[in-house]
Amino acid sequence: MPPKAFRSRHLVRFSHCDPAGVVFYPRFFDLFSSTLEDWFQGGIDCPFGGEFMDRRNLRVPGLSITAEFLRPCSLGEFLDLDLWVTRLGHSSFELALAGSVAGEPRLRAAWKLCVIDFATFKATPIPDDLRSRMEAFQPSRA
Amino acid sequence: MPPKAFRSRHLVRFSHCDPAGVVFYPRFFDLFSSTLEDWFQGGIDCPFGGEFMDRRNLRVPGLSITAEFLRPCSLGEFLDLDLWVTRLGHSSFELALAGSVAGEPRLRAAWKLCVIDFATFKATPIPDDLRSRMEAFQPSRA
Amino acid sequence: MPPKAFRSRHLVRFSHCDPAGVVFYPRFFDLFSSTLEDWFQGGIDCPFGGEFMDRRNLRVPGLSITAEFLRPCSLGEFLDLDLWVTRLGHSSFELALAGSVAGEPRLRAAWKLCVIDFATFKATPIPDDLRSRMEAFQPSRA
Amino acid sequence: MPPKAFRSRHLVRFSHCDPAGVVFYPRFFDLFSSTLEDWFQGGIDCPFGGEFMDRRNLRVPGLSITAEFLRPCSLGEFLDLDLWVTRLGHSSFELALAGSVAGEPRLRAAWKLCVIDFATFKATPIPDDLRSRMEAFQPSRA
């Protein structure tokens, strides 16, 4: 587990699995989304629904994502997804994700997102309070 | 919570929600499936993937389901799904599900399932050890 | 195919299938939703997104649904979903759905929905123009 | 549309859309999977379920994928996904995908996949007949 990473654990469900008996790869992106929500709630103290979306009227669409699938994941396994910050821009930021089962690497991803004002659908600066809390998950900062 | 029910708690995720901002109703059926898995694991001590599917080579397809949606569920809410047994047949069994958030009813369902042998895709008796453990979740039995 | 039914054809995709190699039952409810959209567009001439949701600001949540699964559906099959109206109330209406592959029955469902005004989230009468077009799909009417 | 690309058209459904009213990004990966199936069926004449999976007992897991999201997609839009081959290796191959609505670019992706024998879960050479048909979708070849 990388230093300063936020960990979210996910049980591999029957509903995630495909006819090969392993996680159908689009479901990993659902789990990335869940991990982002868990990080907002438990990592940067800004619940995704009530605080971020409803009260601040912000959204955080992905601009790009790259994922590598190292080994498949099977029903009943617990997938740990570790998330950390690799770049904090003005409106955009980049996250790394590493997925493992009992310490064995299964996948990794790099995800670029952008904060937008839902009223205008345009990019808006990352709020200062969130930015400072996001910095705690940025390993490269001393 | 009904007597003898098994409770499984589910966080309502962004991925469950539709353009109306509430859970898209097909996602509830995914959550019913998750609750069934949790019950197999934590209620009748037969992990769904390894023990039930792999070692015993059994599956448990639904024959029918009825669901009533009383009130919508929103992002960030914790949906408690209570499951209990309403009938135990030879190969088939019936479950009731009641969904609530902080005690407020949101939905209920009646689900009829059947144990099949995956080698033949045909109905097979509910194994005796599982049957006796399922009885513990049947309120009508004294 | 029942008289006056609206037919929507769906290819069974890899993404619909579970580790048993057949459609995972919650995915049928996604297909019911798609069939409803196709009926709004092609049956009652009210495109679901632009006209019904955006311009009229209406939504049509399900109140209850019952489904029976007669035979499984496999990857690559074309599932025909026939939809017709079984009751037209003030705000609510009921639909029947019958699913078949090459004429062989696979599943059926009964679905009760309700028109709501999205501004208030409260029931609102079925608009007159939609009601009259819905009647064309009601077999019991002469 | 790039030369030699295979086009698959997808209607944006209510079930694809999130609380922002646009396609939830993991659903694009489901659509990529559907496009791959359509290409197997209509482009390289090897139906994905019956021929590729059942008779040849092959699977084609993704090794990595990169996607860029240029503009959101909304309910009721028709998303054209153009697919072509950028590299043909021994067991692995790379695809490009470009998504557009009425000619306007919305997203693009680069996808690396690998043919495996489902009996061993190990990489196996791309079958010769498929390889030669795949070459027809490789723009860089004269």
Side-chain angles (χ1 to χ4, degrees), chain B residues 14-71:
Chain B
F14 190 81
S15 63
H16 297 133
C17 294
D18 67 16
V22 297
V23 173
F24 181 48
Y25 92 97
R27 304 299 162 253
F28 286 121
F29 298 93
D30 280 290
L31 295 176
F32 296 167
S33 174
S34 295
T35 300
L36 184 73
E37 288 168 60
D38 289 344
W39 180 55
F40 267 67
Q41 170 91 34
I44 61 170
D45 196 25
C46 178
F48 200 70
E51 176 61 22
F52 187 73
M53 286 176 52
D54 291 349
R55 273 186 287 280
R56 301 194 187 208
N57 205 28
L58 301 175
R59 297 294 184 278
V60 63
L63 301 180
S64 63
I65 194 162
T66 295
E68 286 176 90
F69 307 103
L70 310 173
R71 297 193 54 175

Side-chain angles (χ1 to χ4, degrees), chain B residues 86-121:
Chain B
T86 52
R87 196 184 67 85
L88 274 174
H90 185 64
S91 302
S92 68
F93 58 99
E94 295 177 28
L95 301 176
L97 285 152
S100 59
V101 173
E104 182 188 70
R106 297 294 175 92
L107 59 100
R108 51 181 171 243
W111 195 6
K112 184 175 183 179
L113 303 109
C114 182
V115 179
I116 64 166
D117 183 332
F118 192 51
T120 61
F121 247 89

Side-chain angles (χ1 to χ4, degrees), chain B residues 25 69, chain C residues 58-64 111-116 121:
Chain B
Y25 92 97
F69 307 103
Chain C
L58 300 175
R59 297 293 184 279
V60 63
L63 301 179
S64 63
W111 195 6
K112 184 175 182 180
L113 302 110
C114 181
V115 178
I116 64 166
F121 247 87

Side-chain angles (χ1 to χ4, degrees), chain C residues 44-46 51 56 126-134:
Chain C
I44 61 171
D45 196 25
C46 178
E51 176 62 23
R56 301 195 188 207
I126 301 170
D128 285 344
D129 60 336
L130 299 189
R131 174 185 299 276
S132 64
R133 278 175 256 154
M134 286 178 174

Side-chain angles (χ1 to χ4, degrees), chain D residues 69-115:
Chain D
F69 307 103
L70 310 173
R71 296 194 56 175
C73 293
S74 300
L75 178 60
E77 289 188 323
F78 284 97
L79 176 64
D80 290 317
L81 284 168
D82 295 321
L83 174 156
W84 64 100
V85 175
T86 53
R87 196 185 65 85
L88 274 174
H90 186 65
S91 301
S92 67
F93 58 99
E94 294 177 28
L95 301 175
L97 285 152
S100 59
V101 173
E104 182 189 70
R106 297 294 174 91
L107 59 101
R108 51 181 171 244
W111 195 6
K112 184 175 182 178
L113 302 109
C114 182
V115 178

Side-chain angles (χ1 to χ4, degrees), chain C residues 8 10-15 30 33-35 37-38 48-50 53 59 75-76, chain D residues 8 10-15 30 33-35 37-38 48-50 53 59 75-76:
Chain C
S8 175
H10 303 273
L11 176 58
V12 175
R13 297 288 195 179
F14 190 80
S15 63
D30 280 290
S33 174
S34 294
T35 301
E37 288 168 59
D38 289 345
F48 200 70
M53 285 177 52
R59 297 293 184 279
L75 179 60
Chain D
S8 175
H10 304 273
L11 176 59
V12 175
R13 297 288 196 179
F14 190 79
S15 63
D30 279 291
S33 174
S34 295
T35 301
E37 287 168 59
D38 289 344
F48 200 70
M53 287 177 51
R59 297 293 184 280
L75 178 60

